[in-house]
Amino acid sequence: MSDSERISKLVRPLIAGLKPYSSARDEYNATREAMVFLDANENPFESDVNRYPDPHQRQLRQLIASLRGVADNKLMLGNGSDDLLDLLFRVFCEPYSDQVICLPPTFAMYKVLSQMNGVGLKEIPLDAGWQPDVDAILKASGPDTKILFLCSPNNPTGQCLDEERVLELLRNFPGLVVIDEAYVEFAENPGFAKYLDQYENLIITQTLSKAYGLAGIRLGVCMAHPQVIAYMRRAKLPYNINWLTQQRALDVLQNPGKLREEVALIQTERMRMGRELSRCPFIVKVFPSDANFLLVEVDDAALRYRQMLDLGVVVRNTSGYLRLQNTLRFTIGKPEENDRVLEILASLTEKSTL
Ligand SMILES: *Cc1c(COP(=O)(O)O)cnc(C)c1O
């Protein structure tokens, strides 16, 4: 069976038979200066945004594909990576019959999306070192388990997944393996994109929301086998990436120096905060991190969360996640913000020893 045939067996029949909506701007976008456009019922008086945006995002997609070193038929963009994850459910999972697997404690969106899409979820906990339990995952999988969601570096635990275990899953999992790399820029390990040519079932999602500092524009990136991308493109809404987003992303991506500097500073601050937080008497443990946050175990998470909030610092109370009782997640801030956090923690420590 060819790679494309294997993918075709996973897609929902509904999507395989779908003819995509052809929008007015599908054909003529590239030459818009020279032509009179009376095809899309737009307002003809020029402003930056009176025309519909390019539904194929050609310029932006080509730039991102070249930066990532993949062919542009292996890449699609979404309104944030949440949008792409949702699209994967709608393209590959038949409601009330198919299932997906995720590995808690992990990003809560996989569960929310499975519920919203009426798709069963099997949760196979990460092991004690926050790594996938390969045997348990494979034992829980079958022809109806369409997607396995991996998150590396994982949110909220912070660590990259073990490469050998992920490769074993890519070789043996019967469905698609999504690796959510929202934090990949903060890790030493360059991530799994280099395996795209080797495994037709590998799907990588990335985002401009974290390292790139563009959470407000909503832009997610999905890289996969061209057949997977072709199915996803059939099901996407025509103008899913707005013009303002495309322009802003082009500007930022053409200036990679800022990203490198900011990521390096965040990594340095992550090291400093890890060191300082572990000295705090009510912090029991600081977990190692490949991301832009630190997960810490404290004596009483609800108490410490509220004390910090009262002093003007919001962290995430992650105690509700599986096996993360009494944990808090600290995003790494600017150096002066981190200083402030450390001062506040020191003040709480003084009070608690009185
Ligand atoms: C923040 C985050 C995202 C980003 O989602 P966007 O919709 O692109 O903003 C994706 N996955 C994980 C694990 C995250 O923590």
Side-chain angles (χ1 to χ4, degrees), residues 141-160:
S141 59
D144 299 337
T145 39
K146 293 293 185 67
I147 305 178
L148 168 63
F149 289 99
L150 306 177
C151 184
S152 181
N154 187 41
N155 179 10
T157 57
Q159 286 140 67
C160 289

Side-chain angles (χ1 to χ4, degrees), residues 21 51 64 81 135 137 147 150 191 210 245 270 316 349:
Y21 169 75
R51 299 293 177 187
I64 296 178
S81 45
D135 291 341
I137 292 165
I147 305 178
L150 306 177
K210 304 288 160 58
T245 293
R270 176 179 74 199
R316 190 74 185 254
T349 307

Side-chain angles (χ1 to χ4, degrees), residues 79-83 85 107 110 151 155 180 182-183 206-210 218-220:
N79 184 28
S81 45
D82 288 354
D83 177 41
L85 295 171
F107 189 43
Y110 315 132
C151 184
N155 179 10
D180 181 341
Y183 300 96
Q206 297 178 349
T207 179
L208 271 66
S209 295
K210 304 288 160 58
R218 312 305 300 131
L219 190 72

Side-chain angles (χ1 to χ4, degrees), residues 88-108:
L88 285 167
F89 274 94
R90 291 191 286 118
V91 168
F92 291 101
C93 301
E94 203 59 43
Y96 307 112
S97 95
D98 286 337
Q99 300 184 334
V100 299
I101 296 182
C102 78
L103 316 183
T106 192
F107 189 43

Side-chain angles (χ1 to χ4, degrees), residues 198-210:
Q198 214 170 325
Y199 298 101
E200 87 285 354
N201 59 341
L202 171 60
I203 299 176
I204 291 182
T205 62
Q206 297 178 349
T207 179
L208 271 66
S209 295
K210 304 288 160 58

